Amino acid sequence: MPYKIISSTCTACTACEPVCPNVAIKEKNGTYIIDPKKCTECEGEDPQCVEVCPVDGCVVVDKSLPRYAA
């Protein structure tokens, strides 16, 4: 399941965008979003967006979507 950013808690700090190895994060309307088609959940390592986000619970697993399939 890909990750998603909760827009209501996103502070638009920009920390997540440069650390995403898949370039799946971008700014949209003053907050950041994760493209679920590009998010691989940082296979084999801790999710980088979750690691750098200063807001607890802002970046979460999107359980409504299937896991990334290569």
Side-chain angles (χ1 to χ4, degrees):
M1 289 166 266
Y3 282 81
K4 67 179 178 180
I5 297 172
I6 307 298
S7 61
S8 62
T9 61
C10 178
T11 62
C13 72
T14 73
C16 60
E17 186 179 28
V19 299
C20 180
N22 302 304
V23 193
I25 301 173
K26 65 180 180 178
E27 187 272 332
K28 183 177 180 182
N29 298 326
T31 188
Y32 282 79
I33 61 167
I34 298 174
D35 182 342
K37 293 177 182 172
K38 292 182 179 180
C39 179
T40 62
E41 308 149 40
C42 292
E43 284 185 307
E45 58 184 286
D46 291 332
Q48 299 303 296
C49 53
V50 176
E51 292 291 315
V52 299
C53 184
V55 180
D56 287 336
C58 182
V59 183
V60 297
V61 172
D62 188 346
K63 294 180 180 178
S64 69
L65 296 171
R67 291 193 69 109
Y68 173 78

